[in-house]
Protein backbone atom coordinates (compact mmCIF):
# COMPACT_ATOMS: atom_id res chain seq x y z
CA UNK A 1 0.00 0.00 0.00
CA UNK A 2 2.85 2.36 0.87
CA UNK A 3 4.39 1.76 -2.57
CA UNK A 4 1.19 2.83 -4.30
CA UNK A 5 0.96 5.98 -2.20
CA UNK A 6 4.61 6.81 -2.87
CA UNK A 7 4.19 6.07 -6.57
CA UNK A 8 1.14 8.33 -6.76
CA UNK A 9 2.98 11.09 -4.91
CA UNK A 10 6.00 10.75 -7.23
CA UNK A 11 3.77 10.93 -10.30
CA UNK A 12 2.07 14.02 -8.90
CA UNK A 13 5.45 15.68 -8.38
CA UNK A 14 6.61 14.75 -11.86
CA UNK A 15 3.41 15.93 -13.52
CA UNK A 16 3.47 19.22 -11.61
CA UNK A 17 7.06 19.77 -12.80
CA UNK A 18 5.84 19.77 -16.40
CA UNK A 19 7.27 16.37 -17.28
CA UNK A 20 5.12 14.35 -19.63
CA UNK A 21 5.14 10.60 -19.12
CA UNK A 22 4.37 8.76 -22.34
CA UNK A 23 3.54 5.06 -22.40
CA UNK A 24 5.79 2.93 -24.60
CA UNK A 25 4.42 2.36 -28.07
CA UNK A 26 5.92 -1.12 -28.04
CA UNK A 27 8.19 -2.96 -25.66
CA UNK A 28 11.11 -2.47 -28.06
CA UNK A 29 12.19 1.04 -28.93
CA UNK A 30 14.66 1.99 -31.68
CA UNK A 31 18.19 2.10 -30.29
CA UNK A 32 21.41 3.86 -31.14
CA UNK A 33 24.06 1.20 -31.50
CA UNK A 34 27.46 1.30 -29.90
CA UNK A 35 30.29 0.38 -32.27
CA UNK A 36 30.82 -3.03 -30.66
CA UNK A 37 27.23 -4.22 -30.79
CA UNK A 38 24.90 -5.53 -33.41
CA UNK A 39 21.75 -3.73 -32.38
CA UNK A 40 19.19 -4.34 -35.08
CA UNK A 41 16.09 -4.53 -32.97
CA UNK A 42 13.67 -1.98 -34.33
CA UNK A 43 11.91 -4.86 -36.07
CA UNK A 44 13.61 -7.78 -34.40
CA UNK A 45 10.77 -10.09 -33.57
CA UNK A 46 13.12 -12.63 -31.94
CA UNK A 47 14.23 -10.13 -29.28
CA UNK A 48 10.60 -9.18 -28.69
CA UNK A 49 9.64 -12.86 -28.33
CA UNK A 50 12.54 -13.56 -25.97
CA UNK A 51 11.62 -10.58 -23.81
CA UNK A 52 8.02 -11.77 -23.69
CA UNK A 53 8.98 -15.33 -22.72
CA UNK A 54 11.64 -14.26 -20.21
CA UNK A 55 9.81 -11.45 -18.40
CA UNK A 56 6.48 -10.70 -20.09
CA UNK A 57 8.08 -7.40 -21.10
CA UNK A 58 8.90 -6.39 -17.52
CA UNK A 59 12.25 -4.58 -17.24
CA UNK A 60 12.04 -4.97 -13.45
CA UNK A 61 11.54 -8.74 -13.48
CA UNK A 62 13.63 -10.63 -10.93
CA UNK A 63 13.99 -14.35 -10.30
CA UNK A 64 15.45 -14.78 -6.83
CA UNK A 65 16.28 -18.48 -7.19
CA UNK A 66 18.51 -17.85 -10.24
CA UNK A 67 19.40 -14.20 -9.59
CA UNK A 68 18.11 -13.54 -13.10
CA UNK A 69 17.35 -9.89 -13.72
CA UNK A 70 15.56 -7.64 -16.19
CA UNK A 71 13.65 -8.08 -19.39
CA UNK A 72 15.97 -10.84 -20.67
CA UNK A 73 16.55 -12.41 -17.22
CA UNK A 74 20.33 -12.02 -17.30
CA UNK A 75 22.39 -13.88 -14.70
CA UNK A 76 25.70 -12.77 -13.22
CA UNK A 77 27.57 -15.41 -15.23
CA UNK A 78 26.31 -13.83 -18.45
CA UNK A 79 27.73 -10.44 -17.45
CA UNK A 80 31.08 -12.06 -16.65
CA UNK A 81 31.06 -13.97 -19.96
CA UNK A 82 30.22 -10.90 -22.04
CA UNK A 83 32.86 -8.83 -20.24
CA UNK A 84 35.40 -11.58 -20.97
CA UNK A 85 34.36 -11.55 -24.64
CA UNK A 86 34.74 -7.77 -24.84
CA UNK A 87 38.13 -7.84 -23.12
CA UNK A 88 39.31 -10.54 -25.53
CA UNK A 89 38.25 -8.29 -28.43
CA UNK A 90 40.22 -5.41 -26.95
CA UNK A 91 37.04 -3.47 -26.20
CA UNK A 92 37.17 -1.36 -23.05
CA UNK A 93 33.40 -1.55 -22.48
CA UNK A 94 32.55 -3.32 -19.25
CA UNK A 95 29.01 -4.15 -18.19
CA UNK A 96 28.02 -3.97 -14.53
CA UNK A 97 25.54 -6.13 -12.69
CA UNK A 98 23.10 -3.21 -12.50
CA UNK A 99 23.08 -3.02 -16.32
CA UNK A 100 20.87 -6.12 -16.33
CA UNK A 101 17.96 -3.86 -15.30
CA UNK A 102 18.40 -1.70 -18.42
CA UNK A 103 16.56 -2.91 -21.54
CA UNK A 104 18.98 -1.32 -23.99
CA UNK A 105 22.04 -2.74 -22.27
CA UNK A 106 20.36 -6.13 -21.89
CA UNK A 107 19.78 -6.27 -25.64
CA UNK A 108 23.38 -5.19 -26.27
CA UNK A 109 24.54 -8.04 -24.02
CA UNK A 110 22.31 -10.47 -25.94
CA UNK A 111 23.72 -9.30 -29.28
CA UNK A 112 27.35 -9.52 -28.13
CA UNK A 113 26.70 -13.04 -26.84
CA UNK A 114 25.06 -14.20 -30.08
CA UNK A 115 27.73 -12.62 -32.25
CA UNK A 116 30.58 -14.17 -30.25
CA UNK A 117 29.13 -17.66 -30.38
CA UNK A 118 28.25 -17.21 -34.09
CA UNK A 119 24.57 -17.85 -33.48
CA UNK A 120 22.64 -16.98 -36.61
CA UNK A 121 19.29 -18.76 -36.59
CA UNK A 122 16.50 -17.70 -34.25
CA UNK A 123 16.41 -21.22 -32.79
CA UNK A 124 20.16 -21.25 -32.09
CA UNK A 125 20.00 -17.82 -30.47
CA UNK A 126 17.03 -18.73 -28.27
CA UNK A 127 18.26 -22.15 -27.19
CA UNK A 128 21.79 -20.92 -26.44
CA UNK A 129 20.41 -17.92 -24.57
CA UNK A 130 18.50 -20.38 -22.42
CA UNK A 131 21.07 -23.17 -22.16
CA UNK A 132 24.47 -21.59 -22.71
CA UNK A 133 26.84 -21.94 -25.67
CA UNK A 134 25.94 -25.63 -26.08
CA UNK A 135 22.21 -24.98 -25.72
CA UNK A 136 21.41 -26.36 -29.15
CA UNK A 137 22.57 -29.79 -28.07
CA UNK A 138 20.54 -29.82 -24.86
CA UNK A 139 17.13 -31.45 -24.91
CA UNK A 140 15.97 -29.18 -22.09
CA UNK A 141 16.17 -26.10 -24.33
CA UNK A 142 13.71 -27.52 -26.88
CA UNK A 143 10.72 -26.64 -24.68
CA UNK A 144 12.08 -23.10 -24.30
CA UNK A 145 12.45 -22.78 -28.07
CA UNK A 146 8.86 -23.99 -28.51
CA UNK A 147 7.67 -21.12 -26.26
CA UNK A 148 9.77 -18.54 -28.11
CA UNK A 149 8.67 -19.88 -31.49
CA UNK A 150 5.02 -19.67 -30.40
CA UNK A 151 5.57 -15.99 -29.59
CA UNK A 152 7.33 -15.44 -32.91
CA UNK A 153 4.34 -16.90 -34.75
CA UNK A 154 2.01 -14.52 -32.88
CA UNK A 155 4.11 -11.55 -33.97
CA UNK A 156 4.22 -12.50 -37.65
Amino acid sequence: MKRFILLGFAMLLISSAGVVIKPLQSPIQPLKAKPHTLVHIENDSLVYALIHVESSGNDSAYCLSEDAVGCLQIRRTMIRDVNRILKHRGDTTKYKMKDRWNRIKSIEIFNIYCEHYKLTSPEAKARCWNGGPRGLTKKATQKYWDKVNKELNKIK
Side-chain angles (χ1 to χ4, degrees):
M1 184 67 177
K2 289 180 184 179
R3 286 184 184 172
F4 292 115
I5 293 170
L6 288 175
L7 180 61
F9 183 68
M11 292 179 72
L12 179 64
L13 286 175
I14 290 170
S15 64
S16 65
V19 177
V20 177
I21 301 172
K22 295 180 183 176
L24 291 175
Q25 296 298 325
S26 72
I28 299 174
Q29 299 296 312
L31 305 175
K32 294 182 181 175
K34 290 184 179 180
H36 65 275
T37 60
L38 296 175
V39 180
H40 304 288
I41 66 151
E42 290 90 352
N43 297 307
D44 193 340
S45 54
L46 175 63
V47 172
Y48 178 83
L50 286 168
I51 288 172
H52 182 78
V53 169
E54 290 287 351
S55 67
S56 298
N58 182 359
D59 293 342
S60 299
Y62 179 66
C63 176
L64 179 64
S65 64
E66 296 179 2
D67 189 32
V69 171
C71 65
L72 284 169
Q73 291 294 279
I74 298 174
R75 294 178 175 184
R76 292 175 181 269
T77 57
M78 179 65 70
I79 297 293
R80 288 190 290 267
D81 192 26
V82 166
N83 283 336
R84 178 193 55 80
I85 291 165
L86 291 171
K87 185 177 180 181
H88 181 73
R89 287 184 189 173
D91 192 317
T92 58
T93 304
K94 188 169 183 178
Y95 289 96
K96 298 176 182 160
M97 294 303 162
K98 70 179 182 179
D99 292 335
R100 301 178 295 167
W101 298 103
N102 181 302
R103 181 176 292 227
I104 293 170
K105 290 182 180 185
S106 293
I107 294 169
E108 289 173 356
I109 291 164
F110 170 78
N111 285 319
I112 292 165
Y113 180 83
C114 290
E115 178 188 10
H116 176 76
Y117 290 107
K118 296 173 179 43
L119 305 172
T120 56
S121 74
E123 181 176 2
K125 289 178 180 182
R127 291 181 70 179
C128 291
W129 185 252
N130 180 249
R134 294 183 196 91
L136 261 175
T137 63
K138 297 178 181 179
K139 288 184 180 181
T141 63
Q142 182 61 51
K143 190 174 181 180
Y144 179 80
W145 166 243
D146 292 342
K147 288 180 188 178
V148 172
N149 197 29
K150 183 177 177 182
E151 286 304 313
L152 279 171
N153 290 328
K154 287 180 187 177
I155 296 167
K156 294 177 183 177

